[in-house]
Amino acid sequence: MDEQRGSGVGPPDRWRHGGPPRRWRYGPPGWSRRAAGRGDGTRWPWFSTVLFTAFVLIGSGFADHAQAGERVALDPLGRVLLFLSGAVLLWRWRHPVAVLWGTVAAVLLYLGAGYPYGPVLLTVAVAGFAAVVSGRRYAAWTAMGTLWAGHLLTVHVLYRWLPPSGDDAAPWTEEIVVATWVVALLAVSELARVRREQWARERAERARAERRRADEERLRIARELHDVLAHSISVINVQAGVGLALLDGDPEQARTALTTIKAKSKEALGEVRQVLDTLRAPGAAPRTPAPGLDRLPELVEQAASAGLTVTVEGEPPRLSPGADLAAFRIVQEALTNVVRHSGSREARVHIERRDGRLRLLVDDDGPATGADAGGTGNGLAGMRERAAALGGTIEAGTRPDGGFRVLADLPIDTEEDDR
């Protein structure tokens, strides 16, 4: 659970790049599935396509009666063009550019044949909206510009050779209306596209925040379990060795060691249960307060039961709960490392407040034992993560005289104090 003696290594790179798939680009989930044009065979827009096509056919019939004598009467060819311009909308989310150009071509043929003005332009509006929202902005602007230019060419240049015969050039005010309609349609489409992109960014940010919170909570629980078990099992291991050595020669001392093992294992089970309770009931208040530097005398007694004499210098200042827990766990882990890895049976803990920061210094004078302590190498990494979460630092390494030192520098006034 701890590092062997030597220079420490930094915390692992625990962040992984994530986010929604590249093809998930816009809008809320239902909208994105329909509009992304994935071609996955789901959610064909049958209902809206039938509705638009029926509206265009029926509306154009009324327009035909209203414009009788002014425009060419609807014939089978005109009705086929109307039907095709509406039916092709079924593919508007899968092939938005092709559908848009198809509706533009059908509408220009319809108007060039002299058929009555009417809701046929709705099909171009729907196809243009789908193209812009699907991200084909430049194709949409080009197609709509082509529609306007084709209409301009039809009613101001080619009207002499196109039906109905004897027709005059359209007034320029009509062109202004058409141009305004095209620009308004594209503006609304762009607004919808921007809103969908905002939804996608917000959704991706929420997903990243949730993953980040889950990772932080997982690491917090892992650190707590590591620190609790590493210290407790180290004491149990030492006392078990003492008990085995004295079982025949000094049964009373062996009994004392077994009593210490029982008490320490009970305490470890209680702390592990407290950590696991937070998993069973997320957000619930802990049943017991988190340990802090006020429990330092208890930590010294536990180290003494493992054969380690600890001298404490300085008084711990008042800290926020998070900083107090981090400081306690750092001292606990440092003493655990001394018990497991050092040949010295003495350690010193120095507590100092300086310039609004807390300095924790844990020293021992012994060389490394070189024995396999059965650790996983996460002790110093866990201490660094605790300190970094509060904006502090950890320095750990051998001293010139052969001992080992852990120096923690933590801010006393952390963000938690302001909450």
Side-chain angles (χ1 to χ4, degrees):
M1 293 182 183
D2 322 289
E3 276 81 357
Q4 299 295 333
R5 292 304 175 119
S7 58
V9 295
D13 182 12
R14 59 185 185 274
W15 303 113
R16 295 182 179 181
H17 296 290
R22 287 187 178 182
R23 300 183 73 177
W24 172 37
R25 298 192 297 177
Y26 306 107
W31 196 3
S32 295
R33 200 177 298 116
R34 291 192 299 270
R38 297 178 180 177
D40 55 5
T42 61
R43 296 213 178 211
W44 288 81
W46 286 101
F47 179 76
S48 59
T49 301
V50 171
L51 186 64
F52 288 138
T53 304
F55 180 77
V56 168
L57 287 172
I58 296 172
S60 297
F62 285 105
D64 183 35
H65 288 292
Q67 301 174 36
E70 300 178 8
R71 304 289 294 176
V72 176
L74 278 177
D75 55 18
L77 176 59
R79 297 187 186 277
V80 168
L81 290 174
L82 290 174
F83 176 79
L84 290 177
S85 66
V88 76
L89 295 177
L90 184 63
W91 289 269
R92 65 184 181 273
W93 296 122
R94 299 168 182 270
H95 307 287
V97 176
V99 169
L100 176 57
W101 281 104
T103 56
V104 168
V107 169
L108 287 177
L109 286 175
Y110 177 88
L111 297 178
Y115 295 120
Y117 294 105
V120 64
L121 294 176
L122 176 64
T123 60
V124 180
V126 174
F129 180 86
V132 172
V133 170
S134 298
R136 278 68 171 186
R137 305 170 58 200
Y138 300 113
W141 281 86
T142 303
M144 299 301 283
T146 301
L147 173 66
W148 180 77
H151 179 265
L152 188 69
L153 182 65
T154 299
V155 300
H156 286 279
V157 178
L158 301 178
Y159 69 93
R160 299 181 182 90
W161 302 280
L162 294 176
S165 59
D167 194 15
D168 296 327
W172 283 100
T173 55
E174 181 178 312
E175 298 309 314
I176 296 176
V177 171
V178 174
T180 303
W181 175 82
V182 170
V183 172
L185 170 64
L186 292 174
V188 171
S189 302
E190 290 286 353
L191 184 62
R193 180 189 61 81
V194 170
R195 184 54 184 158
R196 294 184 73 183
E197 290 177 346
Q198 290 176 348
W199 279 331
R201 286 194 296 269
E202 291 170 2
R203 188 169 58 249
E205 183 58 34
R206 284 196 298 269
R208 284 193 294 268
E210 289 174 2
R211 285 194 297 271
R212 185 165 56 249
R213 284 193 296 268
D215 286 344
E216 291 172 353
E217 183 65 11
R218 175 179 57 80
L219 289 171
R220 184 190 70 80
I221 294 173
R223 285 195 299 264
E224 287 297 308
L225 288 175
H226 173 273
D227 292 343
V228 169
L229 295 177
H231 180 75
S232 301
I233 293 178
S234 295
V235 174
I236 290 172
N237 181 56
V238 171
Q239 291 298 323
V242 172
L244 287 174
L246 300 177
L247 186 61
D248 297 326
D250 192 348
E252 190 62 31
Q253 187 65 26
R255 180 186 300 273
T256 301
L258 291 175
T259 302
T260 302
I261 290 174
K262 180 180 178 181
K264 195 60 188 174
S265 61
K266 181 179 180 180
E267 177 187 347
L269 286 173
E271 293 198 42
V272 169
R273 189 176 295 112
Q274 180 182 352
V275 174
L276 295 180
D277 282 344
T278 63
L279 294 177
R280 296 190 181 97
R287 298 178 181 178
T288 58
L293 289 180
D294 57 330
R295 289 181 53 183
L296 199 54
E298 179 183 338
L299 195 60
V300 171
E301 292 179 7
Q302 295 169 359
S305 66
L308 181 66
T309 301
V310 180
T311 303
V312 179
E313 303 173 353
E315 291 293 329
R318 184 179 182 87
L319 300 172
S320 65
D324 206 17
L325 174 62
F328 176 81
R329 293 302 189 198
I330 288 172
V331 175
Q332 184 183 55
E333 179 63 28
L335 294 179
T336 300
N337 281 345
V338 176
V339 171
R340 298 180 68 89
H341 302 304
S342 175
S344 173
R345 295 295 88 194
E346 294 185 1
R348 296 178 299 280
V349 178
H350 180 75
I351 304 173
E352 180 183 3
R353 176 173 183 166
R354 180 189 302 175
D355 299 330
R357 301 184 73 83
L358 174 68
R359 289 171 57 86
L360 295 172
L361 189 65
V362 182
D363 277 309
D364 71 89
D365 298 327
T369 59
D372 182 10
T376 61
N378 293 322
L380 290 177
M383 286 194 287
R384 287 191 176 92
E385 289 173 358
R386 287 186 182 276
L390 298 171
T393 58
I394 289 286
E395 297 178 11
T398 56
R399 302 201 319 259
D401 58 4
F404 198 82
R405 167 173 293 176
V406 175
L407 173 62
D409 184 85
L410 305 176
I412 293 179
D413 298 324
T414 63
E415 292 182 1
E416 294 186 14
D417 299 327
D418 301 327
R419 293 180 184 148

